[in-house]
Structures are given as C-alpha cells and as structure tokens.
Amino acid sequence: MDYIQVGKIINTHGIKGELKIFPLTDNINRFDELRSVFIGDEKLKVNIEKVWYQKGIVIIKFKEFD
C-alpha cells in the first residue's frame, strides 16, 4: 500500500489530546475530507474527531487520544 504524507505533527495543542499539524499539501482544506489517517513509522490508523485551522497550522483531535 502506498501512503501520501499530508502533514507533520509538530506539537501538542491544549490539554484535550489535540495535535498541531504542519500541512505538507497545496490544499490545506484537504484535512476537512479526511476521516482517518496513519501516523508514525508503525502506520497506526487513527480516526479524526475534529479539524480546525489556526494561522496556517492544522489542529486535529483524534478519537483514540485524550
């Protein structure tokens, strides 16, 4: 299976398990359409609960992490 990297985790955000993602794609709104992603070298599949944007950075909340 081929994977396309659409962003890089750069930091945490707040205390509710949200992550800051640096987008590596031309279309930052691509994250609105994603329902799940694979993270890390192990390709762990996680489901997206919420996505929003802040100053060109994507903030994502995964269902699996608090």
Side-chain angles (χ1 to χ4, degrees), residues 17-53:
E18 297 129 349
L19 295 173
K20 290 183 181 182
I21 310 294
F22 180 77
L24 300 174
T25 179
D26 307 6
N27 182 6
I28 194 169
N29 295 324
R30 156 182 258 170
F31 291 90
D32 289 333
E33 301 168 12
L34 297 176
R35 298 293 168 244
S36 61
V37 294
F38 296 92
I39 58 173
D41 294 332
E42 304 83 27
K43 306 291 189 259
L44 175 68
K45 184 176 181 180
V46 292
N47 298 302
I48 296 175
E49 183 175 319
K50 185 177 175 184
V51 174
W52 70 100
Y53 306 95

